[in-house]
Amino acid sequence: MSQTNQPITYDDNNIFAKMLNGDIPYHKVYEDDKTLAFMDIMPQAKGHVLVIPKQKAVDLADLEAEYAAAVLMTCKKVMQAQRQVFEREGIIQMQLNGAQAGQTVFHYHVHLIPSSIHELGRHAATQVESDRLADIAKQLAAVIVD
Ligand code: AMP
């Protein structure tokens, strides 16, 4: 994993840009005109969701105000759905800025993880089968209030 301290420029071929372009599959939880929410393929707990803006931002420094607001509102919707589906109050909201912080995908994203900080699994470590992610995405999408 890169620990570089150098600023990173936006790469149009990053994995989340490819999702937004419809070039690679993902398990959608929610979408609106400014944001997309989908299942993390290597969850740190069951029900780990990522929320991204439809803006080319590497990290928080690049994020425009209207997209920042939209991401936060989508986070609220997803978190409420996670609380309902997993019957737990505790949801971690996490976001990494820069490789030095451990960021691995350089398109801004917020992690929403139904877990405790004391029980969090390893970051981007173990891939979960597509069928299981599809099932959870369906459950979450079904209870999201737009
Ligand atoms: P970060 O290290 O904060 O940039 O987080 C990137 C996240 O993206 C990690 O939690 C990865 O598990 C997740 N991830 C990487 N590739 C994919 C993918 N194809 N679909 C969904 N999540 C992914």
Side-chain angles (χ1 to χ4, degrees), residues 28-69:
K28 183 158 84 177
V29 172
Y30 177 81
E31 183 172 16
D32 61 24
D33 62 330
K34 291 196 174 59
T35 68
L36 175 67
F38 54 90
M39 301 310 298
D40 193 303
I41 207 171
M42 292 173 271
Q44 288 180 254
K46 184 179 174 185
H48 184 162
V49 173
L50 300 173
V51 178
I52 66 174
K54 294 181 178 178
Q55 186 219 322
K56 295 178 181 182
V58 170
D59 63 21
L60 185 58
D62 300 332
L63 195 63
E64 292 168 9
E66 61 179 312
Y67 286 94

Side-chain angles (χ1 to χ4, degrees), residues 84-124:
Q84 198 173 326
V85 167
F86 298 109
E87 297 178 337
R88 61 170 290 136
E89 281 295 291
I91 308 291
I92 295 172
Q93 182 177 328
M94 178 177 85
Q95 188 261 311
L96 308 177
N97 296 290
Q100 207 176 32
Q103 185 177 1
T104 55
V105 179
F106 297 96
H107 179 115
Y108 176 89
H109 52 280
V110 176
H111 298 259
L112 289 168
I113 314 172
S115 184
S116 156
I117 196 69
H118 305 297
E119 296 164 1
L120 203 53
R122 285 194 57 218
H123 184 62

